Each structure stands twice: as structure tokens, then as C-alpha cells.
Amino acid sequence: MEPRERATFDAGEIAVVLSHYDLGVVESITEFPRGSRRSPKVGIVAECGKFLLKRRPASRAQPDRVRLIHRVQLHLAAAGFPLAPLAPTRDGNRTFVQLRDRVYELFEFVAGHPYERTADETFDAGEVLARFHQATEKFEAPPTVLIPRGDYHDAPAVRTGLCAIGSTLSSHDSFTGDDAELAVLIQHLLGSYDHAADAAAACDLTALPERLIHSDWHPGNLLFRKGKIIAVVDYDSVRLARRIIDVANGALQFSILAGGDPATWPSQLDDSRFAAFLSGYRSLLPLDPRELRAVAPLMIQALIAECVPPIAETGSIGPWTGYRVLQMVRRKVQWIEAHASELSTAGRKE
């Protein structure tokens, strides 16, 4: 759960961390209040350039995991993939600093703007995902490094979380609905998730090879400039899975219509952005017909899986009550179910 107050650096903490880097004279340090509230960040202007210093949240500060993530980023950088380069420590042998139980990363600062929902940006989001998959196809981790597996498809944790939501919401201060209606809503989503899992499994996804995927491909993790992606950030969720897991989630994230109160969100997806994202991906890598048939049922599972953990834990997502979010999810799931064939056909068009 995100803390209400944004985490900050302790007095003198930044100076100690920066002593491990060779940046020259530091001209300014400015708070950078973006991203997770659990992870304090500052922008740094120094003699050697502009940088972003980040302290990892405790839940993501395991050194072995950080080494794997950094190894992936270095592999991508060597392949010319757009990202914010990691700054090496003064001794040149490390890409992060560990002080007791805290882990720090320093990145070269990349100036860009958020996703503006244009056709060019959406096409590029699909194309750059294909570039990620091309680059990671040859990624090799040391034999001693365990790469995580598991994703939102047919995940027992999603079903367990859905079942737990009933008791969480019933006791939540924001819940004003009828318990019977809530139970019907949860059962409907469980049924939709199970049906979608069966439909995706029927596409014989297990016959497709596993590969390293990004696993969190959404607009908030991409920086743009003049219609093109200039940096992809946040590699914490990389794992071994089928690439269509990335593609389907990306197609959902870049075509979903949202904003404001979830009760007012349209049920439909933006079909032009959906087609643009898949066209961008397929401009570099073809998609197997089985993968295209799996896109709609995987999007349903991704949509449900994304909202389950925060609602099961806290009863809400940000400022929105969990009950209203789940009602919105049901409407969008029903739309995708009704248009699954059309979505599959759109994915086949060049």
C-alpha cells in the first residue's frame, strides 16, 4: 500500500550516497516528487551532467534482484534501446549503492513528456515493445540468477484476491452498496476471469516459447519527444513469460479510455489506438494467429488482475472506492467480451 506521505531522504543521506559517484561539483539538488511515494527521488545538476537519484522502496531493495534488473538494462543499452542510462559508481564496478538495508540508483536524466494519446506515440509504443523483445531474446542471466516467472494469465493469486475483496469492501468506510450486489459483482468477475483464462489457454499458448518480458508496459513507464519514445523506465517486473502477455497488456493500456470518476469511464476501448499499438509491434515482429486470438481474453485477465491487489488490501485504488472501480471493470470486461472477434480481426490488419 502506498504511504499517504511521500518518503524523503534523511539529513546527510544524499551526500553519503553521492560520495560513491564521480559527478564533479554538484550545482543543485531538487526534489523530484514523481512515481511511487515509497521511493524518494531528487534531480541533480552537476559538473558532469544532469542525474536522477532514487532510493528503492524496501520491498524492492533485494540486491540480487537489483543486479538482475541492472543487467537487463545494461544489455538493452548495449543494443541501442531507449532508456535512462545507469551511472556507474566511482570504482566503475557497480551500478547501485547499498547502505545497510537501503539501495540507491543514479540515472542520467532524460527530459521527455508523458503520453499524449497520439497515433504516432501509440504506434511507437508497440514498435518499441517489439524492440524490447528483439533485444531480450539474446539475454542470458548467470546460472546462479533466478529470473521470476508468473503473470496475470490463469493466476491463482488473482482468484484468491477476488474472493478476499468481499470482506475487505464490506468493512471499508467507503462502501455503501448492498452486500448481495457486491457478491454478485465479484462472482461475475470471477466467472469472466475463468472464462478468459480458458479462452486464452485454448489458443495453445504453452506451445509458444518463454522469453524475458517487461511485464509493466504502460504509458506511465514511457517518455516521449516529438511522437517518439526517448526512454523506457521501470524494469522491476521483468520476468520469463510468453511475449503475448506483454503485447495484450500493452494493447489494453494504450487503448483504454479513462479519466476522472470511474463511473463515467466509457465501456469501449479506443479502437484506433488499439490497432495502432498492434500495428507498431507487427511492423518489426509478426504475431502468431494463436497469439492474436489470445489478445482479447488476455486483456480481460489483465484488466481484472490489475485492480485486485490494491482493492483486496485497502478497499480502494487511489482516491476511488473499490466498489466503483469494480463496477467500471465489469462494464469494460463485458465490452471486450462482446467485441473479442473484432479485436482479433483488427490485430491482423496491417
Side-chain angles (χ1 to χ4, degrees), residues 19-315:
S19 70
H20 291 265
Y21 295 91
D22 189 8
L23 304 183
V25 177
V26 175
E27 300 174 10
S28 66
I29 299 176
T30 308
E31 185 179 0
F32 195 80
R34 300 183 190 174
S36 171
R37 291 180 176 274
R38 299 172 298 167
S39 178
K41 306 173 187 69
V42 291
I44 297 169
V45 178
E47 188 177 354
C48 293
K50 295 181 179 180
F51 302 87
L52 181 69
L53 176 65
K54 167 185 174 181
R55 186 179 77 208
R56 284 183 155 263
S59 62
R60 296 187 173 186
Q62 299 82 4
D64 287 345
R65 177 65 176 162
V66 177
R67 289 188 190 96
L68 169 64
I69 293 166
H70 285 193
R71 186 179 288 268
V72 171
Q73 289 173 267
L74 293 172
H75 174 86
L76 290 168
F81 188 78
L83 45 66
L86 288 156
T89 54
R90 188 185 297 276
D91 59 18
N93 295 324
R94 292 172 294 155
T95 53
F96 65 91
V97 171
Q98 183 177 7
L99 302 176
R100 295 183 294 278
D101 60 343
R102 290 180 168 181
V103 171
Y104 306 83
E105 299 163 298
L106 187 67
F107 300 90
E108 294 181 25
F109 183 76
V110 177
H113 62 76
Y115 178 56
E116 294 178 340
R117 301 179 177 86
T118 68
D120 286 345
E121 289 177 339
T122 307
F123 183 95
D124 205 50
E127 185 176 282
V128 173
L129 178 59
R131 287 179 59 189
F132 179 92
H133 289 162
Q134 284 179 323
T136 57
E137 185 175 10
K138 297 180 180 179
F139 175 78
E140 292 184 5
T144 56
V145 174
L146 180 65
I147 303 178
R149 282 183 164 86
D151 50 68
Y152 59 78
H153 166 55
D154 200 14
V158 175
R159 297 183 177 90
T160 301
L162 272 171
C163 293
I165 281 176
S167 58
T168 302
L169 283 184
S170 295
S171 60
H172 197 267
D173 292 341
S174 67
F175 180 67
T176 57
D178 183 87
D179 283 344
E181 292 180 3
L182 174 61
V184 169
L185 174 58
I186 292 171
Q187 286 303 311
H188 186 279
L189 291 176
L190 273 169
S192 292
Y193 184 84
D194 287 343
H195 180 75
D198 290 342
C203 297
D204 200 21
L205 297 184
T206 56
L208 301 172
E210 284 188 321
R211 63 183 314 121
L212 196 74
I213 69 168
H214 185 273
S215 198
D216 198 18
W217 200 261
H218 65 78
N221 282 336
L222 310 179
L223 289 174
F224 295 84
R225 188 185 299 156
K226 295 181 180 180
K228 295 291 185 179
I229 293 169
I230 58 168
V232 178
V233 302
D234 194 350
Y235 297 85
D236 283 10
S237 297
V238 293
R239 63 193 57 246
L240 288 174
R242 274 76 190 179
R243 64 172 182 168
I244 197 61
I245 293 294
D246 257 354
V247 176
N249 182 60
L252 171 70
Q253 298 291 343
F254 281 88
S255 64
I256 197 166
L257 294 170
D261 187 340
T264 67
W265 292 11
S267 299
Q268 71 272 19
L269 301 178
D270 185 315
D271 54 359
S272 62
R273 282 194 272 136
F274 173 85
F277 182 87
L278 290 183
S279 293
Y281 189 91
R282 297 179 70 220
S283 69
L284 290 184
L285 291 175
L287 287 169
D288 186 283
R290 293 170 293 181
E291 293 176 302
L292 289 170
R293 291 196 302 273
V295 167
L298 285 173
M299 286 197 299
I300 290 170
Q301 293 176 82
L303 181 57
I304 295 172
E306 184 175 12
C307 73
V308 165
I311 297 177
E313 184 178 356
T314 69

